[in-house]
Amino acid sequence: MKTTPESTPFSRARRQLPLILIACGAIAGALFLRDVLDFQALADNRERLLALRDAHYPVAVAGFILAYATLVTFSLPGATVATLTGGFLFETFPGVLFNMTGATIGAAILFLAARKGLGDRLAAKMDASEGRIARIKAGIDANQWEMLFLIRLIPVVPFFVANLLPALVGVPFGRFVLTTFVGIIPGALVYTSVGAGLGEIFEQGGTPDLTVIFSAEILLPLLGLAALAALPAVIRMLRKTPEV
C-alpha cells in the first residue's frame, strides 16, 4: 500500500497537535486554576478591574474577550465567573455582546482543533459506513440546524461538549459559528444581567444566585425555545413516517 504524506505518523501527529495542546491546557487548568478563577477572586480584585476599565476601556474590552476566549478554548474552570465579570464591568449591554463574542471565538478555536485532529476522518468514516451508523449520520445531517440550536439552548449540555460534537460529525464551520452565537444569547443574557447587579451584592457581602437559570420564569422560556428549534425536525420525521 502506498503511503501518502497525509497518512504518515508525523503528519497525523501534526494534525492532532492543536487538540493535544488544548487537552493538556484543560488538564493543567483543572488542576491548578480550580480555586483561582472563582467568585471570590472576582470579589477580591473588583476594584482593580474597575480601575483598569475606567482608565483603558478599549484595552479592557479586548483583554476581557481574549481571556474569555482562552477559557472556552481550553475548557478551563471559571467560564461562569467570566460571564458574571462581563456584566459587572460592562453592564448587561454591551457586556452580553462581549461575553458572546469571547465564547464564540473560543468555541470556534476548539471546534477547528477537534475538526483538524479527529473530525474530518471520523466524519468520512461515518459517511462511508453502512447500516445503523450510516442512518445515524444521515439523521444528524438532515437536522443539523435543530441539533445545534438544541444543544445551545438546553442548559444541561456542557458547553465543551456542544463545541466538540459538531466537529466530530462534519458540521460546517460557518453553521457552527452562527448557531453558537445566536444559541447562547438567552443564557448569556441571564448571567450577564446577574453580573451587572454584582456591585450591590459585593456591598452586602453576599454571593450571586447562579441557579436563576433553572427557575421557572427562565427555564420554561428556554425549553419553549428548544421545542421551537426542534419543531422542524419533528415535522420532517412525521412526514417520513409511513401511514398504517
Side-chain angles (χ1 to χ4, degrees):
M1 180 182 296
K2 183 179 180 180
T3 301
T4 63
E6 290 78 9
S7 63
T8 64
F10 176 76
S11 64
R12 290 195 296 268
R14 186 175 58 184
R15 286 198 305 269
Q16 294 173 2
L17 181 59
L19 190 58
I20 293 172
L21 292 177
I22 288 175
C24 292
I27 294 173
L31 292 175
F32 300 110
L33 298 179
R34 184 176 301 276
D35 298 325
V36 175
L37 303 175
D38 58 9
F39 178 74
Q40 188 58 47
L42 174 58
D44 293 340
N45 294 279
R46 64 185 185 276
E47 298 298 336
R48 278 178 285 183
L49 290 172
L50 290 173
L52 174 63
R53 179 205 63 188
D54 294 339
H56 308 284
Y57 190 87
V59 174
V61 171
F64 173 78
I65 293 176
L66 177 61
Y68 202 135
T70 301
L71 286 174
V72 174
T73 298
F74 292 96
S75 301
L76 300 176
T80 299
V81 175
T83 308
L84 296 176
T85 304
F88 174 66
L89 292 177
F90 309 109
E91 301 297 332
T92 302
F93 188 87
V96 66
L97 293 180
F98 301 154
N99 282 332
M100 292 164 54
T101 300
T104 304
I105 292 174
I109 295 173
L110 181 55
F111 174 94
L112 291 175
R115 165 68 58 82
K116 186 175 180 63
L118 299 172
D120 286 337
R121 286 178 295 160
L122 181 59
K125 289 182 179 180
M126 293 180 70
D127 285 332
S129 63
E130 299 178 356
R132 180 178 299 177
I133 294 178
R135 291 194 296 271
I136 292 173
K137 180 65 165 58
I140 293 173
D141 290 342
N143 302 287
Q144 279 188 0
W145 287 103
E146 294 85 354
M147 178 193 74
L148 293 170
F149 278 120
L150 280 173
I151 62 178
R152 294 303 183 190
L153 290 170
I154 299 176
V156 297
V157 179
F159 197 68
F160 79 95
V161 173
N163 296 335
L164 288 176
L165 282 180
L168 302 180
V169 296
V171 171
F173 178 67
R175 185 175 300 180
F176 170 82
V177 171
L178 177 60
T179 54
T180 297
F181 190 82
V182 175
I184 64 176
I185 289 176
L189 187 59
V190 170
Y191 283 124
T192 305
S193 64
V194 172
L198 282 182
E200 182 177 350
I201 294 175
F202 285 141
E203 292 177 0
Q204 297 173 354
T207 57
D209 181 13
L210 300 182
T211 64
V212 62
I213 199 169
F214 295 105
S215 61
E217 58 268 24
I218 300 297
L219 184 59
L220 291 180
L222 285 178
L223 293 177
L225 286 173
L228 186 62
L231 184 59
V234 173
I235 293 175
R236 283 196 294 269
M237 291 176 58
L238 292 177
R239 286 178 176 175
K240 292 180 180 179
T241 302
E243 296 182 0
V244 179

